[in-house]
Amino acid sequence: MSTRMDTTAASPGFSLPVPDISAWRVGNTGVEGVWHFDSGKPGRSTMVSALVHGNELCGAWALKGLLEAGVRPEQGRLTLAFCNLDAFDRFDASHHDASRFTDEDLNRQWLNERIDAGDTRERRRAAALRPFVQQADWLLDIHSMHEPSAPLLLTGVQPRNLALAHAMRSPEHIVVDAGHKDGVRMRDYGRFGLPDAEAGDTRSLLIECGFHGDPASLQVAQDQCVRFIEQSGVVGVQALAQQLPGWRMPDAPRQWALEVTGPVVATSSAFRFVAPYTGLELFEKAGTVIGDNDGVPVTTPYDNCVLVMPSVRQARAGVTVVRFAQRTLL
């Protein structure tokens, strides 16, 4: 038996328009798509990134909005980065998965040896972005999802990031996870991946705003930008409210920490779920069958198991199709 945690379903149609970022594409750093502003006053170096995947438009809309509003740091520094522009240029709403990346997933390349190899377009782009990621103290990486789902804020396993997610008071569901076996994410790169005792004043969060094509994903991206920038201290509450009216949504009624205990990895493109799961399903009993992996039943490993981001849209050998998690009320 399964029960659903409270969530709002998104429309499966691709209704979010493509943002025109042509006015902001050049950047002001010498690196295409990257903007950097320095207040000249002491403070954190805060970075917000979008379009790590070219079909995840909500973050591009949010960065465009920050730039159009003239948001500037009152102390410290602020970097805004449109990341995988090559993939974004290929975007077609009727085949949006095809513009996730060009050669390989940019969000699995954040190891210096992969970046230094420079043998794919994503690795060369990571090399151009690397100096900005390295100088950032706080990073918010904006993403969206293959399937309709409630927003998820991914913290990694470091307690400092979970504390920040709790302080932001939204969204409702916080995923505590160790990343992916097939490569390192931007939010785990360098200092961001260090344990608390070694990391100093670093924080990094990845927000999954909902389905790629749902206009509500833009509202989530805007809300998370305001909350994250406010917490970083580079722009004050009053200035954010004045420059970005309507961006902040109501606080979540509560927050759940979903501690990921392991992935389900497809052995081929034949992987199938037994029902149309959209994420956050809660299964009361261990051993419940939730999928078929080339004839091998996939079962829940413990009681009260939650599914995190189930999707077969990218299913092939070696790809994670869902993750299991245990939930705790924060």
Side-chain angles (χ1 to χ4, degrees):
M1 176 181 179
S2 73
T3 58
R4 287 198 48 79
M5 300 173 68
D6 291 341
T7 180
T8 301
S11 169
F14 209 105
S15 302
L16 184 64
V18 179
D20 179 2
I21 62 171
S22 56
W24 306 106
R25 188 162 179 135
V26 65
N28 69 346
T29 61
V31 175
E32 186 181 23
V34 181
W35 293 82
H36 182 75
F37 306 103
D38 192 333
S39 70
K41 299 177 181 178
R44 293 187 174 105
S45 183
T46 296
M47 180 173 176
V48 182
S49 55
L51 287 181
V52 164
H53 298 126
N55 61 337
E56 299 181 359
L57 306 184
C58 60
W61 275 109
L63 261 59
K64 173 181 161 79
L66 291 170
L67 289 162
E68 289 176 342
V71 173
R72 299 290 184 270
E74 297 174 327
Q75 59 184 22
R77 296 172 289 173
L78 178 63
T79 302
L80 306 175
F82 300 97
C83 293
N84 199 337
L85 292 169
D86 284 349
F88 173 68
D89 287 343
R90 296 160 43 134
F91 181 80
D92 178 349
S94 62
H95 302 284
H96 56 84
D97 284 339
S99 57
R100 180 173 171 83
F101 53 81
T102 53
D103 296 329
E104 58 184 345
D105 192 334
L106 177 57
N107 214 30
R108 304 292 183 270
Q109 307 312 313
W110 291 91
L111 288 165
N112 284 328
E113 50 268 35
R114 292 190 180 185
I115 298 172
D116 292 340
D119 50 355
T120 65
R121 280 172 283 192
E122 273 75 20
R123 292 181 180 187
R124 291 189 289 274
R125 183 57 174 168
L129 296 170
R130 176 166 52 181
F132 303 98
V133 179
Q134 288 176 324
Q135 60 83 35
D137 300 315
W138 284 34
L139 171 68
L140 175 66
D141 191 19
I142 305 173
H143 290 254
S144 54
M145 306 182 197
H146 299 305
E147 310 291 349
S149 180
L152 301 173
L153 189 59
L154 280 59
T155 67
V157 297
Q158 297 88 1
R160 65 185 184 275
N161 292 324
L162 181 59
L164 173 58
H166 191 33
M168 286 169 58
R169 301 190 296 279
S170 184
E172 182 174 353
H173 302 102
I174 312 301
V175 176
V176 180
D177 70 321
H180 298 271
K181 292 183 178 180
D182 51 342
V184 176
R185 301 170 298 192
M186 180 192 293
R187 56 133 290 121
D188 301 309
Y189 175 68
R191 293 182 299 152
F192 296 128
L194 295 176
D196 286 3
E198 303 171 27
D201 181 39
T202 61
R203 304 289 187 277
S204 58
L205 299 174
L206 187 158
I207 178 65
E208 297 278 6
C209 296
F211 172 58
H212 302 318
D214 185 358
S217 67
L218 169 55
Q219 295 177 300
V220 174
Q222 291 174 331
D223 174 74
Q224 291 293 293
C225 283
V226 168
R227 292 173 186 271
F228 184 81
I229 293 172
E230 175 189 316
Q231 289 291 322
S232 77
V234 298
V235 186
V237 177
Q238 184 176 357
L240 288 168
Q242 289 176 344
Q243 295 178 73
L244 304 169
W247 278 41
R248 189 182 184 110
M249 298 192 298
D251 293 350
R254 58 192 171 275
Q255 286 184 299
W256 297 95
L258 305 177
E259 183 175 357
V260 172
T261 58
V264 174
V265 178
T267 55
S268 78
S269 60
F271 183 96
R272 293 293 180 269
F273 290 110
V274 299
Y277 303 128
T278 60
L280 306 177
E281 289 83 4
L282 175 67
F283 293 88
E284 296 177 353
K285 298 298 183 183
T288 303
V289 176
I290 61 126
D292 179 277
N293 205 0
D294 270 341
V296 178
V298 178
T299 60
T300 54
Y302 40 76
D303 292 348
N304 296 319
C305 179
V306 178
L307 302 189
V308 175
M309 295 180 66
S311 178
V312 295
R313 293 179 72 91
Q314 302 288 329
R316 61 185 185 277
V319 169
T320 296
V321 290
V322 70
R323 289 180 282 177
F324 295 129
Q326 297 174 314
R327 68 173 188 171
T328 304
L329 188 63
L330 292 178

